Amino acid sequence: MYRRFGQVDAAGTSPLYERVAVALSECEEVLRAIEAVPARKRHPAMILAALHDLALGGRAPALAAAYAAADRDAAADAAIDTLLHMTDDVVAIAVRRKMRPDEAGRHAVLYPAIAEAARRTGARAVGLIDVGRAAGLNLQVDRVGIAYGDGRSLGDPSSPVQMTSSLVGDRPVPARVMPEVVARVCVDADPVDVTDVADSRWLRACVWPDQPEHAATLDAELALAATAPPLPLRGAPVEVLPDAVACVPADALPVITTTWALSRFPLEGRRRFLERLVEASAERPVAWVSAEGVGVAPTVPTLGDRRASGHSIIGVAVFDRTARRAEAVGRCWSRGRLLSWLAKQ
């Protein structure tokens, strides 16, 4: 498993992890040490993230230095040494934590879709409810700056978080401004506290050490979120969603966002999620903005696209007492680095 991770999963993407994973696979003493980790937590990504956490926390200085220097051989030696001499620490981190890859970088997709949902309901204020992203970084969408490939920009041009998105097709992203955000609620089975040093470091540890651009984006988003941390609601999303909606003031539109989160739900869970949205709309209009793989988000049209097409569908759904309207407003690739807007303006 470790050899395959290095030679297949990390190959061409992370030269450091390619070398380290293969080195771990070739050391019998290391493999015996990894057996101290519960079987479900022995995946290479988890063990490598635990080692990275120790390096970032200053507890594995040789490994940290090798990562900083992008020295593959030194990193392999330091990873083996750290794992053998700090096995208990690696086990403790792996047991306590969940993998949290790709928490950042979704705002270019969300901003125009949330603004579109507000337009359709006439909302002058919104309460954002993010489902399935433990740190709730999506909830800062109104506080970042976004530059699109056609020269248009949205959000805050003075924000420390600046993102770019290339466009496909000739239809521009609407230049509509998002209404005031009056509530930010993070719904997750195990939410991450963005103001906690250890929690934030773990998110950083899940980023591969030779992906500096990804790491810089995450660091900037974490720092921004720490200045306006969301309200965390712990529990299964389908169970706590009514409580989340209740956290939004009565004069604001609750906008639930899911970004590549529903694929982790079983099919019945996705149906129940939709039922919860319908139930919540019995008392007030509710909107749902989604960026999910083709066919993953219930009721959002697939536009005839194939499930294995390699892109995702951006959906906007509005629920009220009398109707349920869902539309595919765009397609995106690479978590929104490439975007095609489809909805008429």
Side-chain angles (χ1 to χ4, degrees):
M1 181 168 62
Y2 278 74
R3 184 168 56 250
R4 186 183 186 282
F5 182 88
Q7 295 177 345
V8 178
D9 296 349
T13 302
S14 173
L16 278 174
Y17 273 2
E18 180 180 0
R19 177 71 181 91
V20 170
V22 172
L24 296 180
S25 78
E26 294 173 344
C27 180
E28 292 186 8
E29 193 175 1
V30 159
L31 297 178
R32 286 196 296 271
I34 291 173
E35 289 180 353
V37 180
R40 62 187 177 84
K41 293 296 189 81
R42 293 176 193 166
H43 191 276
M46 172 59 78
I47 300 303
L48 290 170
L51 290 169
H52 196 192
D53 187 80
L54 292 173
L56 292 172
R59 300 169 65 190
L63 183 60
Y67 282 165
D71 188 328
R72 288 177 281 179
D73 291 335
D77 292 340
I80 290 172
D81 184 71
T82 302
L83 213 161
L84 293 179
H85 289 88
M86 303 183 72
T87 303
D88 290 345
D89 299 282
V90 172
V91 172
I93 293 171
V95 168
R96 184 172 72 254
R97 298 294 188 181
K98 294 180 179 179
M99 286 301 301
R100 301 294 189 187
D102 297 326
E103 286 286 330
R106 303 152 192 269
H107 305 294
V109 168
L110 288 174
Y111 192 109
I114 294 171
E116 176 65 16
R119 182 192 70 81
R120 294 182 181 193
T121 59
R124 297 184 178 180
V126 297
L128 301 181
I129 302 168
D130 193 54
V131 173
R133 304 254 61 97
L137 299 182
N138 288 341
L139 298 167
Q140 307 299 324
V141 59
D142 60 313
R143 304 177 67 214
V144 308
I146 310 161
Y148 294 93
D150 61 354
R152 295 193 180 198
S153 60
L154 294 173
D156 182 0
S158 65
S159 172
V161 178
Q162 296 292 321
M163 316 205 74
T164 60
S165 179
S166 299
L167 297 182
V168 176
D170 56 4
R171 183 165 290 174
V173 172
R176 194 171 294 112
V177 176
M178 186 188 305
E180 179 187 5
V181 177
V182 296
R184 307 176 199 271
V185 184
C186 173
V187 176
D188 192 76
D190 187 21
V192 170
D193 182 356
V194 295
T195 66
D196 182 84
V197 173
D199 278 3
S200 294
R201 186 178 66 239
W202 174 248
L203 295 182
R204 178 68 172 76
C206 291
V207 177
W208 295 3
D210 45 1
Q211 296 180 336
E213 183 178 344
H214 186 176
T217 298
L218 176 61
D219 288 343
E221 289 197 37
L222 284 170
L224 183 66
T227 66
L231 171 67
L233 287 186
R234 183 184 301 272
V238 294
E239 300 302 329
V240 301
L241 194 58
D243 295 332
V245 171
C247 292
V248 178
D251 58 350
L253 172 70
V255 180
I256 294 88
T257 59
T258 65
T259 55
W260 299 281
L262 292 185
S263 59
R264 302 197 301 268
F265 288 31
L267 182 58
E268 182 56 35
R270 296 177 213 171
R271 291 172 178 162
R272 185 59 182 146
F273 173 78
L274 184 63
E275 290 172 3
R276 285 296 196 189
L277 293 175
V278 174
E279 291 167 2
S281 68
E283 301 295 330
R284 62 197 297 189
V286 173
W288 171 33
V289 168
S290 61
E292 304 284 354
V294 177
V296 172
T299 77
V300 175
T302 62
L303 306 173
D305 300 342
R306 295 179 300 168
R307 289 181 180 268
S309 58
H311 66 266
S312 300
I313 301 290
I314 306 166
V316 172
V318 175
F319 305 84
D320 59 30
R321 295 182 182 88
T322 60
R324 180 172 68 193
R325 305 179 300 280
E327 182 182 348
V329 297
R331 296 184 178 96
C332 67
W333 296 257
S334 300
R335 299 295 194 259
R337 293 183 184 90
L338 196 62
L339 173 65
S340 173
W341 190 259
L342 303 175
K344 296 180 180 179
Q345 300 184 32

